[in-house]
Amino acid sequence: MTRRWIRIAIAIALGAALAATLPVLPAVSQESPPPPMVEIEDTATLAARGAAALVEVTVTCPAGEQTFLQVGLSQRRGSRAANGFGFLEFTCTGAPQTLTIPVLANNATFRQGVAFATAELFVCTRFFCGSVTDAEEITLVRADTAAA
């Protein structure tokens, strides 16, 4: 009978000790940063008479992380297509950042109008390693139109 009471006392003591330490341990949401995010803006500005386009992309990623952003742009030009890519390596601030990525045209120049853009953000942290993407139609505008 005494052993039974000893086991009960030990179980109560261990339960109390565990209950006392749980509030001290950080919650997962307090320790892990929000997941990375990438969003292409609706318009991009033509540069150098269509030899390039300046594509704005808003990203959010954990502060202090070195990341890599790749942007692709494609626009139909008659029976051909103007394509281009731009890259940027930067350090995240932890807050939303709007970055301007120059995308250089290949095959043909870009012009005002509809284009298709893709953005891929590569990031590696202790909680996440991989990439997030966005892809959408955007409008290319001349610099004098964008400022108005």
PDB file of all heavy atoms in Angstrom, residues 1 29 33 69 123:
ATOM      1  N   MET A   1       0.818  -1.184   0.000  1.00  0.00           N
ATOM      2  CA  MET A   1       0.000   0.000   0.000  1.00  0.00           C
ATOM      3  C   MET A   1       0.875   1.266   0.000  1.00  0.00           C
ATOM      4  O   MET A   1       0.538   2.242  -0.623  1.00  0.00           O
ATOM      5  CB  MET A   1      -0.904  -0.056   1.228  1.00  0.00           C
ATOM      6  CG  MET A   1      -1.873   1.084   1.283  1.00  0.00           C
ATOM      7  SD  MET A   1      -3.123   0.866   0.072  1.00  0.00           S
ATOM      8  CE  MET A   1      -4.566   1.127   1.001  1.00  0.00           C
ATOM      9  N   SER A  29       4.894  29.620 -32.587  1.00  0.00           N
ATOM     10  CA  SER A  29       4.612  30.832 -33.350  1.00  0.00           C
ATOM     11  C   SER A  29       5.471  32.006 -32.887  1.00  0.00           C
ATOM     12  O   SER A  29       5.729  32.922 -33.651  1.00  0.00           O
ATOM     13  CB  SER A  29       3.133  31.196 -33.242  1.00  0.00           C
ATOM     14  OG  SER A  29       2.809  31.507 -31.903  1.00  0.00           O
ATOM     15  N   PRO A  33       9.566  32.577 -37.738  1.00  0.00           N
ATOM     16  CA  PRO A  33       9.171  33.773 -38.473  1.00  0.00           C
ATOM     17  C   PRO A  33       8.026  33.454 -39.435  1.00  0.00           C
ATOM     18  O   PRO A  33       7.773  32.289 -39.739  1.00  0.00           O
ATOM     19  CB  PRO A  33      10.442  34.126 -39.248  1.00  0.00           C
ATOM     20  CG  PRO A  33      11.152  32.838 -39.393  1.00  0.00           C
ATOM     21  CD  PRO A  33      10.826  32.029 -38.170  1.00  0.00           C
ATOM     22  N   LEU A  69      16.395  36.610 -55.642  1.00  0.00           N
ATOM     23  CA  LEU A  69      15.132  36.818 -56.344  1.00  0.00           C
ATOM     24  C   LEU A  69      15.384  36.778 -57.844  1.00  0.00           C
ATOM     25  O   LEU A  69      16.289  37.441 -58.342  1.00  0.00           O
ATOM     26  CB  LEU A  69      14.537  38.180 -55.947  1.00  0.00           C
ATOM     27  CG  LEU A  69      13.230  38.579 -56.620  1.00  0.00           C
ATOM     28  CD1 LEU A  69      12.096  37.621 -56.246  1.00  0.00           C
ATOM     29  CD2 LEU A  69      12.860  40.003 -56.230  1.00  0.00           C
ATOM     30  N   VAL A 123      15.010  31.198 -50.504  1.00  0.00           N
ATOM     31  CA  VAL A 123      15.439  31.557 -49.154  1.00  0.00           C
ATOM     32  C   VAL A 123      15.678  30.284 -48.349  1.00  0.00           C
ATOM     33  O   VAL A 123      14.989  29.287 -48.515  1.00  0.00           O
ATOM     34  CB  VAL A 123      14.406  32.482 -48.458  1.00  0.00           C
ATOM     35  CG1 VAL A 123      13.085  31.812 -48.325  1.00  0.00           C
ATOM     36  CG2 VAL A 123      14.908  32.967 -47.120  1.00  0.00           C
TER      37      VAL A 123
END
